[in-house]
Amino acid sequence: MKTIAIVDADSCIYQAAWQQNSIESALENYKHLISKNWIDPCWADENIVYCGNTNRDNFRYKLCPDYKSNRKSLPHDARLFKPLMEKIAEVELAIPAVGMEADDLVRIKAEELRSVEDVVTTIVHIDKDLDCIAGMHYNPRHKDFYSVDEDQADFHYWSQILKGDPTDNLPGLPRVGEKTAKKMLNGVPMDRRKSKVYAAYRAKYGRSEWEKKLLETANGIHILRHEEDFFEIGSVR
């Protein structure tokens, strides 16, 4: 049996850059943190590390014009975050995302390896969005291993689309937060959740607007399983 850790390193890069005075010191800090806190605890046979990019060539900006438009400039203490990410990609300490985000690369690789015999993966991240991936996860911040089954992953995915993500300026349904979204989906079978979410959007926005409003959130929430796996009305997740 081969074990592979699939790492979303963006948060580690941000932490490594914090209050550093040079790219050199930030890079050394990253090497230490990614190894000690993110990779070593998994005891994996192989580690695949992904990071984002500093350009706006992410497909979500085209599909969701307001995506992350509420983000403020980086604080002064994190001023080396983007230069450090570029350096890490340059020296091949992580594979940079092109046209998408590190989240997408992580899920694409996880789905690819799911069908490989005698391979077990662990998704290493601190981003709740990646809980839409069934399998073993490791959260370096909490030093916590946990498992997500297919039903839990599906429930998380549709609840995210109901409530949106204010951090990324994805609206979701008005006045629907995490508790309300979970309440709306509790007891709904896995194969009925999509219909339940669509019906909620139709009830709120009417026939003329519900698809547009749904896509404003879903295109940002949806994490790719393969390169052409964009969210479409009527598609399965």
Side-chain angles (χ1 to χ4, degrees):
M1 184 70 68
K2 182 178 182 179
T3 59
I4 300 177
I6 309 173
V7 184
D8 176 358
D10 283 359
S11 296
C12 184
I13 296 171
Y14 188 89
Q15 182 183 1
W18 190 258
Q19 293 185 336
Q20 296 298 308
N21 296 319
S22 69
I23 287 294
E24 291 74 20
S25 65
L27 184 61
E28 289 305 309
N29 196 28
Y30 169 77
K31 291 177 182 178
H32 170 74
L33 291 172
I34 197 73
S35 176
K36 180 181 178 181
N37 297 341
W38 292 63
I39 290 176
D40 288 355
C42 296
W43 290 91
D45 299 311
E46 181 182 345
N47 307 295
I48 306 173
V49 183
Y50 295 110
C51 69
N53 65 75
T54 58
N55 301 317
R56 289 177 61 90
D57 65 343
N58 175 1
F59 71 89
R60 292 175 178 84
Y61 290 113
K62 298 176 182 178
L63 298 177
C64 310
D66 294 327
Y67 185 63
K68 293 186 178 181
S69 62
N70 58 337
R71 293 284 182 95
K72 298 179 180 179
S73 300
L74 290 171
H76 179 74
D77 283 342
R79 65 191 182 281
L80 291 180
F81 170 63
K82 291 183 179 180
L84 176 59
M85 182 176 285
E86 292 174 352
K87 185 66 175 180
I88 286 168
E90 178 188 335
V91 299
E92 299 182 346
L93 291 176
I95 301 169
V98 177
M100 57 184 71
E101 296 181 357
D103 286 2
D104 300 300
L105 292 181
V106 167
R107 192 181 188 193
I108 289 169
K109 178 56 67 174
E111 295 296 334
E112 174 188 321
L113 294 175
R114 192 182 303 279
S115 60
V116 178
E117 189 175 356
D118 293 331
V119 168
V120 176
T121 62
T122 299
I123 312 300
V124 185
H125 65 98
I126 64 171
D127 186 352
K128 68 183 186 319
D129 295 345
L130 286 172
D131 286 347
C132 70
I133 304 174
M136 180 60 65
H137 293 245
Y138 177 65
N139 184 318
R141 176 177 292 167
H142 302 300
K143 299 180 180 179
D144 177 38
F145 286 95
Y146 62 97
S147 180
V148 177
D149 64 29
E150 291 287 352
D151 184 73
Q152 291 169 328
D154 184 78
F155 188 97
H156 177 79
Y157 175 81
W158 290 110
S159 64
Q160 287 281 95
I161 292 179
L162 282 173
K163 70 187 184 67
D165 188 345
T167 303
D168 290 339
N169 205 35
L170 299 171
L173 288 173
R175 296 183 294 280
V176 174
E178 184 170 358
K179 289 183 179 179
T180 302
K182 288 181 177 179
K183 184 177 180 180
M184 292 170 69
L185 293 177
N186 275 339
V188 179
M190 187 170 168
D191 63 352
R192 297 292 299 167
R193 288 174 188 151
K194 178 176 70 173
S195 297
K196 178 75 173 182
V197 171
Y198 285 15
Y201 271 85
R202 279 195 298 268
K204 177 61 183 178
Y205 294 110
R207 291 188 177 183
S208 62
E209 289 290 313
W210 78 271
E211 292 189 5
K212 174 186 174 183
K213 294 295 185 179
L214 172 60
L215 289 171
E216 285 177 1
T217 293
N219 279 319
I221 293 292
H222 185 72
I223 300 176
L224 305 185
R225 293 163 299 181
H226 56 79
E227 290 188 1
E228 300 300 324
D229 179 39
F230 303 110
F231 186 92
E232 296 179 357
I233 301 292
S235 66
V236 296
R237 78 173 190 88

